[in-house]
Amino acid sequence: MGTPAPPAAVRWGLPDALVAWVVGIVAAVIAAVPFIDPNGKIPDDREVVATLVLLVVQNAAIVASILAISRSKGQGSLRRDFGLAFDPHDSVWVLAGVGLAVAAGILVLPITELAGLTDSSQDVVQTFEHSAGVLEKVGVAAGVVLVAPLAEELLFRGVLLRSLLRRVSPVAAVSTAALVFAVVHVLGDLGTGYYVPAFLLLGLVSGWRAVVTGRIGQSVCLHAGFNLVAAIQILT
């Protein structure tokens, strides 16, 4: 028998996390073009469908780019490179995510009240109530709970966090990845900046579980549970 071939050298790192994120943004911008009217805006009657399309396209592009990075610069496996693996017991973390979302809502409530801010998430919910049919609501809710957590955890707790762990301590890596995660989520709408502490909390707990377990299965379930609260608002 011949000598087994050594494992492929891992060459992906921090720049690849940025590339995957940019690819997702570019894909979403391109997908938005058919929905934009002559005034450069997406009409209210097309907003829900556009939201669903952009959500799927952006996250699919992120996953596809990460897979390409794994194949060209890593071991060719999302599991070996970025810890994409699940255990049946991970499902419990969906409930933990729901609890975390409730805690996060309580956390940001004093901020919104002191600053006299309106909850923009309620504006989104109202948009769905007035312009979305049942199938559209289910589609967006499914995307929020299933598609987004998988893609975002691959990006932030897979590529980004694991790249940071090669350079700094676990505490610094988890904290940095969580902060980037929180900031990225409000870049598109700076009016939602008050929700940074909530996203930061999710990022910290998710990163902690990724480091402890060596995989992102629990992180994906936690994120899905966190998003489930928003999905329920959309559906009800």
Side-chain angles (χ1 to χ4, degrees), residues 3-236:
T3 302
V10 172
R11 296 180 291 111
W12 50 262
L14 292 176
D16 296 295
L18 177 60
V19 168
W21 179 68
V22 171
V23 167
I25 295 296
V26 172
V29 170
I30 294 173
V33 172
F35 297 97
I36 298 176
D37 63 19
N39 296 319
K41 298 181 179 180
I42 297 177
D44 291 343
D45 61 344
R46 307 181 74 185
E47 187 173 358
V48 176
V49 174
T51 298
L52 177 57
V53 171
L54 269 57
L55 187 154
V56 172
V57 169
Q58 180 176 359
N59 287 287
I62 289 173
V63 173
S65 63
I66 292 175
L67 182 58
I69 290 167
S70 175
R71 290 178 174 175
S72 62
K73 295 185 175 183
Q75 302 176 71
S77 166
L78 295 181
R79 176 178 185 138
R80 292 194 297 272
D81 279 312
F82 309 118
L84 183 60
F86 294 88
D87 182 275
H89 297 97
D90 292 343
S91 58
V92 175
W93 285 88
V94 174
L95 297 177
V98 172
L100 198 65
V102 174
I106 296 173
L107 177 66
V108 301
L109 185 59
I111 301 175
T112 58
E113 290 184 342
L114 287 174
L117 298 172
T118 59
D119 188 350
S120 62
S121 65
Q122 292 301 318
D123 295 335
V124 174
V125 172
Q126 289 176 6
T127 297
F128 277 85
E129 287 177 347
H130 293 117
S131 60
V134 174
L135 291 179
E136 292 169 335
K137 288 182 179 180
V138 170
V140 173
V144 166
V145 175
L146 301 176
V147 179
L150 176 62
E152 291 181 6
E153 291 306 314
L154 264 175
L155 177 58
F156 293 103
R157 255 62 66 179
V159 185
L160 179 59
L161 177 58
R162 288 192 169 204
S163 297
L164 287 168
L165 285 170
R166 297 184 202 152
R167 299 169 177 264
V168 297
S169 69
V171 171
V174 169
S175 300
T176 302
L179 181 59
V180 173
F181 172 76
V183 171
V184 163
H185 273 73
V186 301
L187 281 180
D189 183 3
L190 296 181
T192 62
Y194 66 89
Y195 215 72
V196 164
F199 290 128
L200 182 61
L201 178 62
L202 172 60
L204 289 172
V205 178
S206 183
W208 164 57
R209 295 314 303 165
V211 169
V212 169
T213 63
R215 53 188 178 81
I216 62 171
Q218 290 184 2
S219 302
V220 173
C221 291
L222 181 77
H223 198 151
F226 189 92
N227 286 5
L228 180 60
V229 175
I232 291 173
Q233 288 182 299
I234 291 172
L235 291 172
T236 56

